[in-house]
Amino acid sequence: MSAHATTAHNEELNYLNWKTGIWSWLSSTDHKRICFLYLFTILIFFFVGGIAALLMRLELATTGPTIPSVVTSPHIYNVLFTLHGVFMIFLFVVPGIPATLGNFLIPLMIGAKDVAFPRLNLFSYYLYVIGALIGALSLWNPFSGLTAVDTGWTFYAPYSTTTGSSVSLMVFAAFVLGFSSILTGLNFIVTIHQLRAPGMTWMRLPVFIWASYATAIIQTVATPVVGMTLLLIIAERVFGAGIFDPTKGGDPVLMEHLFWFYSHPVVYIMVLPAFGVVGEIIPVFSRKPLFGYKMVVLSSMAIAAVGFVVWAHHMFVSGISDFSAIFFSLVTFLVAIPTAIKVFNWVSTMYKGSISFTTPMLYAMAFVFLFMIAGTTGIYLAMLGVDVYYHDTYFVVAHFHYTIQGGAVIGLIAALHYWFPKMSGKMYNETLSKIAFALVFIGFNLTFIPQFILGMDGMPRRYYNYPPEYQNMHTLSTIGAFMNGVGYTFALVNLLMTALFGKVKAPRNPYNSVGLEWQTASPPIHENFPETPVVDKDPYHYGTPAHV
Amino acid sequence: MAHAHSHDHSHGHDDGHVVPEATFLKILIALLVLTVITVLAAKVDMGKWNIVGAMVIASIKASLVILVFMHGKYENRILWTYILIPFILLAILIGGVFTDDPFRSHPKPVEVQKLKAT
Amino acid sequence: MSSHAAAAHEVAPGDPPHIHHMDSATAYGAAKLGMWLFLATEILLFAVMFCSFAIMRYYHLDAFHKASHNLNLYAGAFNTAVLLFSSYTAAVAVTKAQRGDNRGVVVNFGISILCGFIFLLVKGYEYSEKAHHGMFPFVWNESFGDYKNFLGIYYCMTGLHALHVIIGMVVMYIYGVRPALKNRYSGRYYTPVELSALYWHLVDLIWIYLFPLLYLVG
């Protein structure tokens, strides 16, 4: 239909240019445009959360007060790490890949015109914006008598239920954000069930879809639990219900159970889509089918399932019973198995393949390496005796940054590079992106390997100061953090500049990838496909006769 | 013009089942009877089995509502998975929390009072 | 292909709406799956309260028994019957819609909504009785210290439930009664009626568990 229709500048019509003006973007129910709405917003919060981290790292660069004009008191330091955690988790990584790449790719990869509920999709975005604004409001405390929240992103009772800061406002923001997440997950589940193109059977779906499906299930069923828990915190503060207050017969550890019941599965929301991304990138740049497709699918679903029964490994030293601790430690070891299976699959895909070291491939390989470190250090923490020592030290901080940043964020950047030609219709400069990658990779490891050492030496987390013995590692870590920040900025600015001003047009399928999204134009037309595609091949037939 | 689209008679009928009003009435009566039973049963003290009995009766009522009122009987496996998941998760949540609290070694209440007095 | 867009705004009564990216059968399946998923999230929301109830009851069994006896059993039982009946009429409304009997939809959903009002009135009466005796937030009489845990959970659970009753009533009106008054539904298209009824049944389901736990077992 649109093959010969053009814009005023004689370009082919596509989803970017067929309707112009800011209102057409803000009111669009097109999943591809909603991807960009989310992308711009989450990246803003990525930078805000990142600046908070850099301020913390600056303060920690030397023993004693380092930047007393900014970190004027320990309280401000606590506000900074709360801000960093809340913004990075709820406003950046949890929406992360699903709300951006998931939105863009899911309909394309299954051969559909849009998600099941496009208007609900846009509503999810605005719920996210409202939640973010409320969260920001709680930091700039315009209400007299209320100070910025300093509880940490975990909002543990009894401090969160009794302290006089704008906790209620911030947890209400998290509640609204949770609602956004639930509706997105619900939308994706229905989309994947109902809107697959003819011939797109479940076992022909790309692993990114399976990963997004598993993620969507977790989003939909886990988030209500934390939503209600956050409302209960507000009820405690406003009505004094006493469920988490020991002086009224309540149990503060109950709050931790309810909180972590969601907050452990949330880490799989964060990283599963990245597994999917890596599973898409590695076969393309190894020119080989994904090794063990069925096992990758099964392990994605297994991670989602087992992830629901391990939550109390965050609570080993909170006073839970020995019986409980032993049970949760055992099950936590189990959840490592499906992830390890995936690592074997990715590496086996590369074995005897024809590797191209493009930027997405570099990020994907970095992901495998970094996530290996994340996973194995997680095993240490699952061991009860070891965790008694490591809990609340920098060892844990390093572990979860390897999983979230080395995992989910690297996955997001990899995905943005790999699908950039499809999304923008342009090709970015590989040299610049590789330089950025080097800065990110070196900077990241320089930030967090010293933190493993700090943790082993007993440096506690959430402390604004430390004895001189710890300074060397802290200084190294701070240098790494700035390198890391520069690297991300460079990578994203490169992509942004190319999207806005780039001249090199992208072909329909620049990497000769398999997959429905590559069979349509770069960028796609508004309806995604001129005609509904029919699928008759397996998803990863690279290097086989079926692959043209 | 508005009727230009296909005459697909499967529109809106995934299950194609129209449940007669009389069936619903029978289920309503069963539900009311079960409610009377559960109230009467509560008057009999069976110690810790009180809650078990009440939950069993409630679950029978819930099953009737889901299976008949909500057309659950006619739904496919996919839908049934999503009907069951929240109940399974509820069981996991309560089960997990109950591996903790009952097995803690608490100070006895009388010791707490002693502390308060000093 | 896109010429349908202009025609889409004219939908005859009883015909499914035109959705540009799905055919009607797919749209119906999608809507139903979407609503069941949403109901699942609602159940999980209440799961937190059921879990809190279980633990608090484990720690304070006697106080819970005592406080539970203090609730008005007859009000609770009456409300249970009211909700069960309203669930029945909601189910009947779906059958009426499937038969194209729009008047039947209006009458039955109307009864369900009325039952919702009655439920809320009785609940309001119960709450005001409690407040009168100083067993309510903000007017709390400290001599009832023992009851506080139980009543905290009671108000959270029944309050949240009452909120869902209100939402259910609004949904049945907007997506059931109002379109049915314009003869919108038929055997070919009754999705909003079915979805509204499903939501209402959930409200009933939750009460089926709330009533024995709070009023009977304690």
Side-chain angles (χ1 to χ4, degrees):
Chain A
M1 163 205 105
S2 58
H4 301 290
T6 56
T7 64
H9 300 286
N10 234 21
E11 310 162 315
E12 293 279 312
L13 271 182
N14 57 55
Y15 81 99
L16 289 169
N17 59 24
W18 78 297
K19 268 189 187 165
T20 54
I22 190 150
W23 180 245
S24 76
W25 279 84
L26 291 177
S27 63
S28 172
T29 57
D30 179 353
H31 64 102
K32 301 181 290 299
R33 288 194 169 194
I34 292 177
C35 157
F36 280 100
L37 291 178
Y38 271 111
L39 187 60
F40 282 123
T41 326
I42 68 172
L43 288 178
I44 290 172
F45 293 118
F46 177 44
F47 276 99
V48 173
I51 289 171
L54 291 177
L55 286 173
M56 286 161 61
R57 284 277 17 125
L58 259 183
E59 171 55 44
L60 291 169
T62 69
T63 186
T66 311
I67 43 170
S69 49
V70 178
V71 184
T72 52
S73 64
H75 168 73
I76 296 294
Y77 184 82
N78 297 355
V79 171
L80 280 175
F81 69 65
T82 306
L83 193 173
H84 175 70
V86 171
F87 273 44
M88 286 302 202
I89 293 178
F90 292 119
L91 297 181
F92 175 52
V93 191
V94 169
I97 296 175
T100 54
L101 276 306
N103 248 318
F104 193 91
L105 291 170
I106 291 175
L108 281 168
M109 281 183 166
I110 64 176
K113 291 190 186 134
D114 208 318
V115 293
F117 308 119
R119 287 175 299 182
L120 192 69
N121 205 3
L122 186 64
F123 180 62
S124 283
Y125 172 69
Y126 281 110
L127 269 181
Y128 165 81
V129 170
I130 292 169
L133 288 175
I134 298 176
L137 195 70
S138 73
L139 286 168
W140 274 273
N141 44 294
F143 304 107
S144 63
L146 288 176
T147 57
V149 182
D150 61 346
T151 60
W153 79 278
T154 48
F155 303 117
Y156 275 3
Y159 184 55
S160 66
T161 51
T162 54
T163 189
S165 63
S166 41
V167 171
S168 293
L169 208 55
M170 191 172 247
V171 299
F172 184 69
F175 175 78
V176 175
L177 291 164
F179 224 104
S180 167
S181 191
I182 290 171
L183 294 177
T184 300
L186 188 157
N187 216 338
F188 288 172
I189 293 175
V190 179
T191 305
I192 295 171
H193 272 282
Q194 295 288 115
L195 298 185
R196 284 167 288 126
M200 179 58 89
T201 58
W202 282 92
M203 294 315 265
R204 284 186 180 151
L205 287 169
V207 292
F208 180 75
I209 299 293
W210 275 106
S212 301
Y213 181 60
T215 305
I217 294 176
I218 306 176
Q219 270 178 274
T220 310
V221 299
T223 316
V225 174
V226 80
M228 189 66 220
T229 309
L230 295 172
L231 288 184
L232 278 181
I233 293 180
I234 300 177
E236 288 277 302
R237 290 177 65 86
V238 176
F239 301 115
I243 304 175
F244 303 140
D245 185 347
T247 61
K248 295 185 185 141
D251 183 6
V253 179
L254 175 65
M255 184 268 167
E256 295 187 29
H257 275 295
L258 296 172
F259 178 81
W260 287 110
F261 187 82
Y262 162 78
S263 300
H264 187 78
V266 83
V267 316
Y268 298 113
I269 294 175
M270 294 194 264
V271 90
L272 266 171
F275 289 163
V277 167
V278 169
E280 294 299 326
I281 292 178
I282 289 186
V284 178
F285 298 109
S286 311
R287 305 320 291 172
K288 263 187 74 196
L290 179 69
F291 184 89
Y293 170 82
K294 251 202 194 118
M295 286 312 286
V296 175
V297 166
L298 279 172
S299 61
S300 303
M301 303 303 288
I303 290 174
V306 181
F308 273 103
V309 295
V310 299
W311 74 88
H313 67 229
H314 299 268
M315 300 161 56
F316 284 152
V317 298
S318 297
I320 62 175
S321 70
D322 291 344
F323 172 56
S324 196
I326 294 169
F327 169 75
F328 280 100
S329 169
L330 253 164
V331 192
T332 305
F333 287 123
L334 286 180
V335 82
I337 298 174
T339 314
I341 289 175
K342 284 189 191 298
V343 173
F344 283 125
N345 282 311
W346 296 321
V347 173
S348 306
T349 304
M350 290 169 57
Y351 178 66
K352 288 198 175 163
S354 172
I355 314 280
S356 317
F357 294 101
T358 59
T359 305
M361 187 56 167
L362 288 173
Y363 277 107
M365 288 165 63
F367 175 96
V368 180
F369 172 74
L370 296 172
F371 205 77
M372 281 285 295
I373 297 178
T376 40
T377 53
I379 302 279
Y380 302 168
L381 294 168
M383 292 190 273
L384 289 174
V386 176
D387 187 71
V388 169
Y389 181 75
Y390 279 147
H391 181 84
D392 266 346
T393 68
Y394 264 75
F395 193 90
V396 179
V397 176
H399 160 73
F400 68 66
H401 280 93
Y402 267 85
T403 56
I404 302 183
Q405 212 193 88
V409 181
I410 294 285
L412 173 66
I413 308 293
L416 286 175
H417 282 85
Y418 177 53
W419 279 289
F420 184 84
K422 180 58 57 182
M423 293 161 77
S424 70
K426 300 182 183 170
M427 302 296 283
Y428 57 84
N429 181 314
E430 271 282 333
T431 311
L432 291 177
S433 59
K434 282 179 175 138
I435 295 172
F437 167 76
L439 284 172
V440 167
F441 186 76
I442 298 171
F444 175 78
N445 284 299
L446 187 57
T447 312
F448 291 107
I449 290 179
Q451 293 194 10
F452 278 126
I453 299 171
L454 282 171
M456 288 194 282
D457 286 343
M459 169 80 200
R461 59 186 287 204
R462 294 176 168 169
Y463 273 39
Y464 76 104
N465 198 11
Y466 52 82
E469 291 85 355
Y470 295 93
Q471 174 152 321
N472 289 337
M473 290 294 117
H474 268 295
T475 310
L476 274 178
S477 182
T478 300
I479 295 171
F482 275 87
M483 195 187 296
N484 200 10
V486 168
Y488 281 125
T489 310
F490 195 4
L492 291 167
V493 169
N494 181 27
L495 290 181
L496 178 65
M497 288 293 141
T498 312
L500 292 175
F501 309 117
K503 294 286 186 288
V504 183
K505 266 188 59 120
R508 177 182 56 83
N509 193 355
Y511 309 117
N512 205 4
S513 313
V514 160
L516 285 181
E517 79 271 26
W518 298 105
Q519 310 313 318
T520 191
S522 297
I525 56 176
H526 172 66
E527 298 86 0
N528 295 343
F529 300 95
E531 276 159 23
T532 306
V534 177
V535 181
D536 58 0
K537 297 190 192 65
D538 282 335
Y540 297 101
H541 48 275
Y542 295 102
T544 67
H547 184 214
V548 176
Chain B
M1 169 183 69
H3 297 279
H5 45 266
S6 64
H7 287 281
D8 183 347
H9 287 290
S10 70
H11 278 195
H13 281 288
D14 249 10
D15 50 71
H17 263 95
V18 182
V19 180
E21 294 87 331
T23 309
F24 289 138
L25 186 59
K26 285 187 211 141
I27 298 296
L28 171 64
I29 293 170
L31 287 168
L32 290 168
V33 166
L34 284 166
T35 308
V36 170
I37 292 176
T38 200
V39 171
L40 292 175
K43 309 233 183 251
V44 179
D45 183 26
M46 297 177 291
K48 67 171 178 182
W49 294 103
N50 281 337
I51 195 165
V52 172
M55 287 299 98
V56 164
I57 297 176
S59 299
I60 297 173
K61 290 164 79 179
S63 306
L64 288 174
V65 171
I66 295 177
L67 285 167
V68 187
F69 280 2
M70 297 171 92
H71 290 222
K73 251 172 72 178
Y74 309 103
E75 299 298 355
N76 57 34
R77 253 183 332 179
I78 309 265
L79 217 56
W80 266 105
T81 310
Y82 288 112
I83 295 173
L84 290 174
I85 283 181
F87 294 103
I88 296 172
L89 283 178
L90 170 65
I92 292 175
L93 175 62
I94 296 184
V97 175
F98 271 84
T99 63
D100 175 21
D101 289 80
F103 294 92
R104 291 188 204 161
S105 45
H106 294 283
K108 296 212 173 26
V110 69
E111 290 174 28
V112 172
Q113 277 165 27
K114 270 204 200 134
L115 284 168
K116 267 194 194 166
T118 44
Chain C
M1 206 164 70
S2 66
S3 58
H4 273 238
H9 299 293
E10 294 279 330
V11 181
D15 278 344
H18 178 78
I19 301 171
H20 88 280
H21 65 298
M22 293 191 279
D23 66 65
S24 307
T26 310
Y28 172 73
K32 200 153 61 151
L33 178 58
M35 179 49 91
W36 273 106
L37 283 168
F38 187 68
L39 296 184
T41 69
E42 296 276 42
I43 294 175
L44 285 156
L45 205 73
F46 279 91
V48 171
M49 294 312 309
F50 283 114
C51 180
S52 304
F53 175 84
I55 282 288
M56 289 296 106
R57 181 176 184 273
Y58 167 77
Y59 279 126
H60 307 285
L61 194 55
D62 290 331
F64 265 49
H65 281 330
K66 216 164 73 170
S68 166
H69 283 308
N70 203 266
L71 292 180
N72 190 331
L73 176 60
Y74 297 111
F78 175 74
N79 264 353
T80 306
V82 165
L83 273 189
L84 288 174
F85 185 75
S86 73
S87 217
Y88 158 73
T89 49
V92 168
V94 176
T95 296
K96 297 294 184 201
Q98 286 174 308
R99 296 198 216 281
D101 179 1
N102 280 279
R103 194 177 152 276
V105 174
V106 172
V107 167
N108 281 285
F109 265 176
I111 295 174
S112 296
I113 293 173
L114 182 65
C115 289
F117 269 117
I118 295 173
F119 179 91
L120 291 171
L121 278 172
V122 174
K123 206 88 217 93
Y125 164 72
E126 282 182 276
Y127 280 9
S128 70
E129 279 293 292
K130 284 263 169 309
H132 191 65
H133 289 109
M135 291 199 256
F136 199 80
F138 305 127
V139 295
W140 189 261
N141 182 335
E142 277 308 327
S143 69
F144 292 113
D146 250 5
Y147 291 55
K148 212 172 194 186
N149 247 285
F150 176 88
L151 286 178
I153 295 191
Y154 169 78
Y155 288 124
C156 270
M157 291 182 100
T158 56
L160 193 65
H161 178 261
L163 178 65
H164 284 75
V165 169
I166 296 173
I167 295 172
M169 288 161 64
V170 170
V171 164
M172 280 191 292
Y173 177 70
I174 295 180
Y175 293 100
V177 174
R178 260 184 41 173
L181 283 170
K182 300 186 203 145
N183 282 322
R184 184 72 186 85
Y185 299 116
S186 74
R188 296 185 309 284
Y189 175 65
Y190 55 89
T191 314
V193 178
E194 182 163 6
L195 298 192
S196 312
L198 281 175
Y199 190 82
W200 188 252
H201 291 308
L202 177 84
V203 170
D204 184 33
L205 266 177
I206 294 172
W207 186 258
I208 283 175
Y209 282 99
L210 275 191
F211 169 63
L213 281 176
L214 293 172
Y215 289 80
L216 298 180
V217 169

